[in-house]
């Protein structure tokens, strides 16, 4: 493939994205979208001039503990992104260096890791945290140390205002927006009477609260709300609580019990079951054709980024999939049993590019430029779709430090996930509830 | 003999405390902050040692005390708008009540049964934090940063998270704990507690009401663990159910045994070594748990008395 | 009353059914812990990890044979044997070294727990992996369906419990174990090889936990953190049942299993767990010997 072809395809992708972004017009309020300068991935020479010390990025990884599965893929994605960024000239001409520390998926250790990265390794930024309780435990420390902290967590904690001015979630849509985006489709296509099944902690309560709000908006009705403790290993007893008039079961589960959950749901209902709409969190890292999952055939899933390549075939996503080493079915190219966390890990790739954009636009050189960098990020209004943002264009809110992106609905069939609906960015957007820019730096 | 050892041990401890105090002017940022954290956690271990080291009762549920101090302080500040110090006192008072009630029940058992009763009460407490999540913020926890006032010293305002405040606050806490610990060791009450550890039935025969002494040790240990938890909440601002998990009950056992149960300074030494061991190994391999496990096994086989306990046995007979 | 049954009958039926299955599963997991507890007077914190190893070996067997039935049969033989060997090794080189001192043993087995968990993480990886059931069918009741394999697990578990009971009652080794449990010194004087008995009891305890892991893994999945919950549940069962009593263990497993089923179905699962742990603590406090005292099998 020649240089020129890449460029023209990229440009056409960009046009499509601009249109869809402009659909959210009122909120974007016209300002430019950043990121256009990295549309051409081969423009090595642009910043290769400098040969400064590396930009150090501390990566807080869940290598052990309950998040280890996600953590492994976050690490692979991060390393792939760093490698690629270095191959195109690094960040502002400086190479990027990733320093990884394990937090054990534990909020206690999380705060220590932020500390260690910031003061021992003297990194420029900390990034990569996924599990929301670890974010809750770590973000205060980042705020005290006054180091920019970029999370890839999809929790609503950033946009809710619970954290601080140093914490950003620039490249993964939060749960509230995900729900708001897909629930319209859900209530209008699958049915009005919905039973919610969600994990019994904050992440689950976000689902409960915003799905309930969405039901009111779309004339649906939540007929039951079933919370399941995260450590549960047997689910049958919960299913008797699903009312008979349920049209749709809305489920989102995380943790090691998810397969059992789905299988027991199948055993409980047999062939005559309500429609199923799940969040792919239930099956991240799990092969759709695992034993006992045939029950899911014909059910629907939210995906942030389609696991199967044919569902979203753009130049950017193809490039990204290759770079991270994932095959067309969403598994590792070296081991087809090793299924990725495809709907989450793109956030690591994109966030590194967001950092790149922030550094280059703000002229960041060292830690004393943090204020300028933060103000620059807060001035961002979004990101273009492309190699840097393969999941799609994003609208970014400087007030809430949170982005909004498109979402996908896929249907299970032939042992795979097939995309059947794509939301617009505007579907998920909500009024900001906080304004971090008012906090002091 | 006793007088001499009291003098020796005072010198020894004052020396260590002086060293800790001076360290804050030398340590690089990361270690400055790590030592602050170690001192708070070590205070928890010293409190744990009141029970394990002096009375011989091993608890597997001390996270309940640490967390109840932490939550009472945190939720008090959040809901009741207490001041930070008010929160600390509230945490201490709350844990006092909790450990008193707990002690009245749990101390009817001993040995392995006591261990399991503490484990079960600890789990009940942990689960209740999850169950009442609307009130406690459940597993995610919350940050106190926004609700803490400032600390005023000589008309100047400081944040609790200010590194110097944090270091010295932790230092004062640890100093107080070590002094109280030494004081108890040399007091008549301490002697009786040790007698209970060595031979409970004989102590009872001598006419002491063993139950009350054990209750005293447990309430002291629990309340001080709670104060350590409340202090942790003020200085490090995050409050979450992870501090009530069983792992957080196991930690002080490891720290205390590694450093030497029944020695005053041992829990601090153990906490420091364990913290840096995990910190160091996790930089090399993600399997630091493996190393911790192996260290634990080797320790218990070859140095069952811990570092300071072994030192005391071999060379430093006067060590408290 | 009748309308209550019309409305809640299916719920109650499910609570009882699910509770019974839970009870059998619990009894099997707890049995090994109970034996070790009763005979050796030590608490094995790594018991849950032995259970986890059984499940993990089961996955390897399934992966190796690529056939649910053969994999299951292979795991049924190999997993308890391997875990039993690990247990013998731990007994010989760790527990004996600390002279079975109760507190030291606890710390040492916490160490074993960490080692097993992190080696599993290294070799097996962090994901939860599914193992196909050797026999699979679904039973359709008028109100809902239920997994047939779960009923098979309950049956096999009952069979194992019976086996262990017969072994303890009828075999020479079982007799030695009971003698050691009753009075270590007297048993020793009468020529019972107590050291060997300790090793066998620890191996038997580990092997039973692994067996439970193999049986149960098809109704859940294997992952390296799955050991903690069964450990806590086993504690609950063993305490309520009384140390070393098979009958007590089974009765306690039923009390916990069924009440857990009913409270979970009609109220809340977290509440059920809370009440169960509190109940155990109170049983220990008020009746320290458990419901079935120190009786010998």
């Amino acid at each position: 493939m020649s240089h020129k072809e890449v460029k023209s395809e990229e440009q056409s992708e960009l046009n499509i994205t601009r249109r869809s972004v402009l659909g959210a017009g009122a909120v974007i309020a016209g300002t430019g979208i950043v990121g256009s300068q990295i549309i051409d991935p081969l423009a090595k020479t642009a910043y290769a001039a400098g040969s400064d010390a590396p930009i150090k990025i501390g990566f807080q990884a869940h290598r052990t503990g309950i998040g280890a599965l996600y953590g492994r893929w976050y690490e692979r994605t991060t390393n792939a992104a760093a490698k690629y960024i270095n191959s195109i000239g690094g960040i502002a001409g400086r190479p990027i260096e990733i320093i990884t520390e394990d937090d054990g998926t534990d909020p206690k250790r999380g705060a220590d890791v932020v500390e260690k990265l910031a003061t021992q390794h003297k990194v420029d930024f900390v990034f990569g945290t996924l599990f929301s309780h670890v974010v809750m435990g770590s973000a205060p420390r980042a705020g005290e140390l006054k180091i920019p902290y970029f999370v890839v967590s999809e929790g609503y904690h950033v946009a809710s205002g619970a954290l601080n001015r140093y914490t950003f979630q620039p490249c993964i849509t939060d749960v509230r927006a995900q729900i708001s985006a897909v629930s319209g489709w859900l209530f209008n296509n699958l049915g009005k009477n919905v039973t919610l099944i969600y994990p019994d902690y904050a992440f689950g309560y976000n689902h409960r609260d915003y799905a309930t709000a969405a039901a009111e908006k779309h004339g649906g009705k939540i007929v039951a709300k079933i919370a399941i403790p995260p450590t549960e290993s047997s689910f049958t007893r919960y299913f008797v609580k699903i009312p008979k008039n349920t049209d749709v079961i809305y489920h989102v589960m995380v943790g090691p019990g998810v397969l059992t959950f789905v299988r027991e749901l199948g055993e409980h209902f047999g062939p005559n079951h309500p429609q199923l709409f799940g969040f792919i969190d239930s099956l991240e890292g799990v092969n759709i054709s695992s034993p006992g999952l045939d029950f899911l055939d014909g059910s629907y899933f939210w995906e942030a980024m389609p696991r199967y390549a044919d569902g979203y075939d753009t130049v950017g996503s193809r490039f990204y999939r290759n770079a991270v080493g994932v095959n067309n079915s969403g598994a590792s190219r070296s081991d087809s049993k090793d299924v990725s966390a495809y709907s989450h890990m793109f956030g690591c790739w994109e966030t590194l590019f967001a950092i790149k954009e922030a550094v280059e636009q703000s002229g960041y050189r060292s830690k004393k430029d943090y204020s300028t960098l933060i103000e620059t990020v807060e001035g961002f209004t979004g990101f273009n779709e492309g190699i840097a943002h393969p999941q799609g264009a994003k609208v970014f809110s400087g007030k809430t430090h949170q982005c909004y992106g498109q979402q996908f609905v896929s249907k299970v069939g032939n042992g795979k996930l097939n995309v059947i609906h794509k939301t617009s960015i505007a579907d998920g957007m909500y009024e900001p509830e906080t304004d971090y820019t008012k906090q002091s730096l | 003999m006793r007088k001499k050892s009291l003098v020796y041990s005072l010198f020894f401890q004052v020396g260590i405390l002086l060293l800790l105090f001076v360290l804050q002017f030398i340590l690089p940022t990361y270690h400055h902050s790590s030592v602050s954290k170690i001192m708070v956690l070590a205070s928890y271990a010293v409190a744990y040692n009141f029970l394990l080291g002096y009375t011989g009762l091993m608890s597997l549920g001390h996270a309940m005390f640490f967390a109840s101090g932490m939550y009472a302080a945190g939720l008090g500040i959040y809901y009741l708008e207490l001041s930070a110090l008010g929160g600390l006192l509230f945490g201490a008072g709350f844990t006092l009540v909790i450990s008193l009630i707990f002690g009245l029940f749990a101390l009817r058992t001993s040995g392995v049964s006591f261990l399991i009763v503490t484990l079960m009460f600890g789990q009940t407490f942990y689960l209740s934090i999850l169950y009442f999540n609307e009130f406690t913020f459940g597993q995610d926890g919350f940050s106190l940063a926004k609700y803490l006032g400032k600390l005023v010293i000589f008309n100047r305002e400081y944040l609790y998270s200010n590194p110097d405040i944090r270091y010295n606050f932790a230092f004062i806490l640890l100093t107080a704990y070590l002094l109280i610990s030494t004081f108890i060791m040399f007091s008549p009450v301490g002697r009786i507690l040790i007698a209970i550890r060595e031979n409970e039935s004989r102590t009872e025969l001598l006419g002491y009401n063993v139950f009350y002494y054990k209750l005293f040790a447990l309430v002291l240990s629990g309340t001080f663990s709670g104060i350590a938890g409340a202090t942790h909440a003020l200085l490090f601002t995050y409050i979450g159910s992870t501090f009530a998990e069983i792992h957080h009950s196991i930690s002080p056992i490891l720290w205390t045994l590694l450093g030497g149960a029944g020695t005053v300074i041992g829990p601090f030494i153990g906490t420091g070594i364990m913290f840096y061991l995990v910190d160091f190994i996790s930089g090399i391999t993600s399997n630091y748990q493996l190393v911790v496990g192996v260290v634990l096994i080797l320790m218990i086989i070859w140095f069952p008395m811990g570092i300071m306990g072994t030192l005391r046995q071999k060379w430093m007979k006067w060590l408290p | 009353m009748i309308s209550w049954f019309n409305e809640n009958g299916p719920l109650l039926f499910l609570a009882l059914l699910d509770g019974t299955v839970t009870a059998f599963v619990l009894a099997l997991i707890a049995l090994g812990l109970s034996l070790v507890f009763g005979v050796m007077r030590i608490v094995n914190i790594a018991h849950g990890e032995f259970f986890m190893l059984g499940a993990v070996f089961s996955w390897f067997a399934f992966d190796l044979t690529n056939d649910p039935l053969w994999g299951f049969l292979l795991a049924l033989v190999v997993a308890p044997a391997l875990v039993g060997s690990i247990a013998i090794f731990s007994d010989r080189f760790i527990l004996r070294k600390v002279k079975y001192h109760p507190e030291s043993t606890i710390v040492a087995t916490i160490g074993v727990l960490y080692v097993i968990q992190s080696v599993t993480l290294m070799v097996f990886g962090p994901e939860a992996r599914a193992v196909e059931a050797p026999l699979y069918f679904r039973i359709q009741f008028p109100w809902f369906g239920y997994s047939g394999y779960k009923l098979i697990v309950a049956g096999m578990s009952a069979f194992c419990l019976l086996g262990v009971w017969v072994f303890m009652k009828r075999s020479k080794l079982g007799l030695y174990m009971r003698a050691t449990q009753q009075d270590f010194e007297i048993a020793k004087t009468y020529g019972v090889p107590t050291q060997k008995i300790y090793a066998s009891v620890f191996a038997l305890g580990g092997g039973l936990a692994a067996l439970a892991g193999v049986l149960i893994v098809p109704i859940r999945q294997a992952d390296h953190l799955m050991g903690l919950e069964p450990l806590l549940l086993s504690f609950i069962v063993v305490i309520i049942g009384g140390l070393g009593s098979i009958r007590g263990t089974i009765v306690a497993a039923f009390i916990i299993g069924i009440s857990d089923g009913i409270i979970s179905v009609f109220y809340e699962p977290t509440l059920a767990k809370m009440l169960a742990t509190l109940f155990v603590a109170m049983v220990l406090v008020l009746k320290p010997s458990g419901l079935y005292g120190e009786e010998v099998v």
Side-chain angles (χ1 to χ4, degrees):
Chain A
M1 199 193 290
S2 82
H3 186 155
K4 229 174 185 159
E5 276 169 4
V6 173
K7 189 158 185 169
S8 64
E9 268 194 75
E10 279 288 340
Q11 287 301 345
S12 64
E13 288 293 334
L14 182 70
N15 290 337
I16 294 169
T17 336
R18 281 230 171 98
R19 260 200 306 274
S20 61
V21 167
L22 289 176
V27 194
I28 308 177
T31 22
I33 289 178
V34 299
S36 40
Q37 78 270 35
I38 42 109
I39 287 302
D40 185 351
L42 302 173
K44 270 187 200 179
T45 46
Y47 337 100
S51 59
D52 300 60
I55 294 242
K56 289 187 180 179
I57 297 181
F59 175 36
Q60 181 183 7
H62 303 330
R63 273 185 179 153
T64 54
I66 184 111
L69 169 77
Y70 284 90
R72 196 175 49 182
W73 281 100
Y74 267 41
E75 207 168 337
R76 288 179 189 167
T77 311
T78 300
N79 291 336
K83 192 174 155 201
Y84 174 63
I85 289 175
N86 279 334
S87 78
I88 57 166
I91 297 183
R94 296 164 67 184
I96 183 171
E97 182 186 341
I98 303 287
I99 295 163
T100 311
E101 281 278 345
D102 176 23
D103 62 18
T105 327
D106 179 1
K108 289 196 290 287
R109 181 78 195 136
D112 294 347
V113 163
V114 168
E115 177 100 45
K116 189 174 184 187
L117 290 169
T119 59
Q120 170 98 315
H121 296 298
K122 303 203 168 16
V123 299
D124 293 279
F125 314 106
V126 181
F127 116 112
T129 329
L130 165 66
F131 271 61
S132 59
H133 61 308
V134 185
V135 173
M136 290 301 285
S138 311
R141 194 70 197 116
E144 287 159 16
L145 292 165
K146 299 190 182 296
I147 185 167
Y149 182 51
F150 297 88
V151 301
V152 189
S153 156
E154 78 174 355
Y156 179 60
H157 37 48
V158 177
S160 70
L163 302 176
N164 53 56
R165 194 164 179 191
Y166 288 84
T167 308
F168 292 89
Q169 185 152 263
C171 292
I172 187 163
T173 309
D174 67 276
V175 180
R176 179 177 177 182
Q178 289 168 2
I179 297 164
S180 315
V182 295
S183 51
W185 182 88
L186 188 159
F187 288 108
N188 292 324
N189 291 282
L190 297 185
K192 297 291 183 198
N193 293 330
V194 175
T195 290
L196 304 175
I197 303 182
Y198 51 91
D200 199 4
Y201 61 92
F203 172 68
Y205 307 146
N206 284 338
H207 274 278
R208 177 193 63 198
D209 297 343
Y210 297 114
T212 310
E216 275 166 30
K217 191 176 154 198
H218 297 283
K221 194 177 163 209
I222 303 298
V223 290
K225 300 173 185 177
I226 302 174
I228 300 186
T231 52
E232 192 58 83
S233 57
S234 173
F235 303 89
T236 309
R237 60 188 64 162
Y238 298 92
F239 299 142
V240 284
K241 296 181 184 172
I242 299 172
K244 286 208 177 61
N245 62 348
T246 299
D247 302 323
V248 187
I249 295 174
Y250 170 116
H251 63 95
V252 51
M253 292 299 299
V254 273
V258 292
L259 263 180
T260 316
F261 171 80
V262 172
R263 199 169 44 212
E264 293 189 345
L265 196 60
E267 282 154 359
H268 184 80
F269 280 108
N272 304 317
H273 58 81
Q275 295 279 14
L276 296 174
F277 183 90
F279 276 67
I280 198 70
D281 307 63
S282 303
L283 290 175
E284 281 288 63
V286 175
N287 195 336
I288 290 291
S289 49
S290 290
L293 289 194
D294 25 341
F295 169 69
L296 286 176
D297 216 45
S299 76
Y300 301 88
F301 277 98
W302 158 86
E303 288 191 282
M305 188 166 188
R307 182 186 290 183
Y308 289 83
D310 54 8
Y312 185 54
D313 192 18
T314 62
V315 175
S317 68
R318 230 178 294 146
F319 183 92
Y320 157 78
R321 189 179 283 267
N322 261 321
V324 181
V326 172
N327 68 18
N328 286 341
S329 318
S332 163
R333 261 187 303 181
S334 53
D335 176 7
S336 63
K337 281 184 181 161
D338 189 2
V339 178
S340 65
Y342 210 73
S343 275
H344 294 83
M345 67 200 210
F346 68 86
C348 291
W349 175 281
E350 294 199 6
T351 302
L352 279 186
F353 281 92
I355 293 175
K356 177 176 157 75
E357 287 149 24
V359 167
E360 286 167 1
Q361 295 214 355
S362 67
Y364 171 91
R365 303 289 306 163
S366 68
K367 288 168 176 266
K368 64 176 180 358
D369 303 325
Y370 278 157
S371 314
T372 331
L373 180 117
I374 285 171
E375 281 161 1
T376 304
V377 178
E378 284 169 349
F380 283 0
T381 52
F383 303 97
N384 274 324
E385 194 276 341
I387 282 177
H389 296 282
Q391 190 264 346
K394 306 274 182 308
V395 169
F396 182 77
S397 156
K399 280 184 180 174
T400 59
H401 289 192
Q402 174 63 51
C403 74
Y404 307 94
Q406 61 182 354
Q407 310 298 325
F408 298 83
V409 175
S410 299
K411 186 174 185 179
V412 181
N414 303 322
K416 64 192 278 282
L417 290 152
N418 306 292
V419 174
I420 55 161
H421 175 69
K422 184 163 103 174
T423 72
S424 78
I425 294 178
D427 291 343
M429 291 178 73
Y430 50 80
E431 282 303 309
E433 285 184 354
T434 193
D435 188 354
Y436 285 117
T437 61
K438 291 206 176 106
Q439 292 184 6
S440 61
L441 274 163
Chain B
M1 179 61 203
R2 258 191 77 189
K3 201 161 189 185
K4 194 174 142 201
S5 62
L6 182 62
V7 172
Y8 269 22
S9 61
L10 274 179
F11 265 111
F12 179 70
Q13 278 184 46
V14 170
I16 286 195
L17 288 172
L18 268 179
L19 182 72
L20 268 177
F21 183 75
V22 174
L23 269 180
Q24 65 176 309
F25 304 109
I26 311 165
L27 284 174
T29 326
Y30 175 62
H31 298 286
H32 186 276
S33 161
S34 294
V35 173
S36 316
K37 183 161 268 185
I38 288 171
M39 288 192 291
V40 175
L41 293 177
S43 305
Y44 174 33
V46 171
Y48 185 81
N49 193 30
F50 287 153
L51 197 61
L52 175 68
Y54 301 151
T55 323
L57 283 169
M58 189 186 263
S59 146
L60 253 180
H62 252 53
M64 166 171 70
F65 301 126
F66 187 90
S68 67
M70 174 180 257
Y71 272 92
L75 296 175
I77 291 167
Y78 183 83
Y79 288 111
L80 307 176
E81 294 171 15
L82 299 175
S83 69
L85 292 177
L88 188 67
L89 287 177
F90 186 60
F94 184 76
T95 322
L96 180 82
V97 176
I98 289 268
S99 45
L100 190 64
I101 297 172
F102 169 79
L104 287 172
F105 284 108
L107 284 173
R108 295 170 62 116
T109 63
S110 61
V112 172
S113 299
F114 177 77
L115 204 129
I116 302 212
V117 169
T118 54
L119 172 71
M120 291 304 157
F121 274 118
Q123 275 303 104
T124 311
F125 187 81
Y126 167 66
L127 289 169
S128 58
I129 291 177
L130 298 186
Y131 186 70
F132 297 107
N133 56 63
E134 303 267 329
F135 177 67
T136 62
F137 301 91
Q139 195 196 27
D140 261 14
F142 65 108
S143 166
L144 265 189
K146 269 189 277 182
Y147 312 100
L148 278 175
K150 298 221 166 95
L151 185 65
V152 183
I153 305 173
F154 299 124
N155 290 325
R156 287 191 59 186
E157 289 189 336
Y158 298 92
L159 282 173
Y160 283 88
S161 57
N162 173 310
D164 295 318
I165 296 297
R166 185 181 279 179
Y167 193 99
N168 288 297
F169 206 123
F171 176 76
I172 292 169
L173 184 77
L174 181 67
T175 307
Y177 276 32
L178 288 179
L179 290 181
I180 292 169
S181 190
T182 317
F183 175 74
I184 291 175
M185 271 292 270
F186 287 97
S187 72
V189 179
R191 294 280 139 193
I192 295 163
L193 290 179
I194 291 173
I196 294 174
R197 179 185 76 195
E198 299 303 328
N199 192 331
E200 184 168 336
S201 43
R202 186 178 296 168
T203 317
E204 192 137 37
L205 281 178
L206 287 173
Y208 293 105
N209 189 326
V210 171
F211 182 82
Y212 286 121
Y213 282 98
K214 290 206 296 201
L215 187 62
F216 169 75
L218 191 137
V219 170
L220 192 73
S221 174
T223 309
F224 276 49
S225 300
I227 295 173
T231 309
H232 197 289
L234 296 190
L235 301 185
F236 300 97
T237 67
Y238 174 69
I239 292 164
S241 66
T242 171
F243 291 102
E245 274 180 25
I246 181 170
H247 297 286
H248 202 57
S249 291
I250 293 177
S251 297
I253 306 185
L254 303 189
W255 299 331
T256 308
L257 288 175
L258 181 66
T263 65
V264 172
I265 201 78
F268 167 69
I269 305 278
T271 310
I273 290 180
M274 208 54 144
F275 187 94
Y276 273 106
L277 187 72
V278 169
D279 191 63
F280 174 70
I281 300 166
S282 68
I284 302 170
T285 159
S286 57
N287 269 295
Y288 53 87
Q289 270 209 350
L290 179 66
V291 183
V292 172
V294 171
V295 167
L296 211 61
I297 293 171
L298 296 182
M299 274 300 302
I300 203 73
I301 292 176
W302 281 303
F303 300 104
M305 279 176 295
I307 296 168
M308 298 317 284
T310 310
L311 282 179
R312 171 162 69 186
Q313 190 192 27
K314 296 248 163 78
W315 299 288
M316 301 156 78
K317 296 265 188 312
W318 44 266
L319 193 76
Chain C
M1 190 69 195
I2 289 168
S3 72
W4 186 90
F5 261 106
N6 277 338
E7 197 181 324
N8 293 305
L11 293 186
L12 190 63
F13 175 65
L14 182 98
L16 291 175
L17 181 70
D18 212 39
T20 308
V21 172
T22 310
F24 274 113
V25 166
L26 263 182
L28 187 62
I29 302 177
L31 185 61
L33 190 74
S34 171
L35 280 176
V36 169
F37 220 168
V39 178
M40 302 167 75
R41 315 270 152 177
I42 57 164
V43 178
N44 176 20
I45 303 280
H47 185 74
E49 306 313 302
F50 290 157
F51 168 79
M52 178 272 283
L53 282 180
V56 165
F57 282 138
S58 199
W59 182 85
F60 278 114
F62 172 62
D63 193 49
L64 190 74
T65 55
N66 221 349
D67 179 276
L69 186 60
W70 283 112
F72 176 74
L73 294 176
L74 180 69
L76 214 50
V77 178
V78 175
L82 276 176
V83 174
S85 319
I86 295 174
I88 289 178
F89 181 85
S90 325
D91 174 70
R92 174 72 187 78
F93 293 101
I94 300 170
L95 300 188
R96 206 189 290 182
K97 288 253 174 14
V98 298
K99 302 193 176 65
Y100 305 100
H101 180 268
E103 270 101 17
S104 305
T105 311
I106 284 168
V107 178
T109 50
I110 291 175
V112 173
L113 176 151
Y114 280 152
V115 171
I116 293 180
Q117 226 175 59
S118 41
V119 171
T120 311
L121 175 64
M122 260 193 284
V123 179
F124 180 75
E127 53 272 87
R129 300 177 196 243
V131 175
E132 229 170 301
L135 281 168
Y136 184 80
F137 56 97
R138 186 176 163 269
I139 299 171
Q140 178 68 53
F141 295 107
W143 316 279
F144 51 77
Y146 200 74
S147 154
Y149 182 73
K150 277 193 178 179
L151 298 180
I152 294 180
V153 170
M156 285 192 289
S157 163
F159 181 75
C160 294
L161 292 168
L162 189 70
V164 173
W165 188 77
V166 170
F167 168 80
M168 290 299 277
K169 279 278 191 220
R170 298 286 156 86
S171 76
K172 192 171 164 193
L173 197 58
L175 176 75
Y176 281 173
M177 286 180 185
R178 282 183 292 141
T180 316
Q181 174 172 16
Q182 273 186 334
D183 196 312
F184 180 84
E185 290 305 325
I186 293 180
K188 207 172 172 179
T189 326
Y190 276 84
V192 173
T194 46
Q195 190 63 65
K196 279 200 186 119
I197 293 301
Y198 269 26
S200 336
V201 168
F202 205 59
L204 182 64
L208 283 172
L211 186 67
V214 174
L215 289 181
I216 288 159
V217 70
I219 56 178
R220 39 181 306 183
Q221 297 116 65
D223 80 89
H224 73 291
L225 295 173
M226 72 192 290
L228 183 63
E229 225 206 327
L231 173 76
L232 293 173
L233 285 172
S234 305
F235 269 142
I236 297 179
V237 168
V238 169
I239 299 294
I240 294 185
L243 309 186
S245 155
I246 294 186
R247 194 167 59 163
T249 303
I250 295 170
V251 171
F254 268 84
I255 294 177
I256 293 298
I258 301 227
S259 60
D260 184 60
I262 289 178
I263 300 176
S264 299
V265 167
F266 289 98
Y267 301 95
E268 289 223 30
T270 310
L271 186 66
K273 289 205 177 72
M274 249 168 81
L275 293 178
T277 49
L278 195 63
F279 179 57
V280 175
M282 293 324 273
V283 165
L284 256 183
V285 167
L286 301 175
K287 196 168 180 316
S289 55
L291 296 182
Y292 276 77
E294 289 263 16
E295 93 178 67
V296 183
V297 194

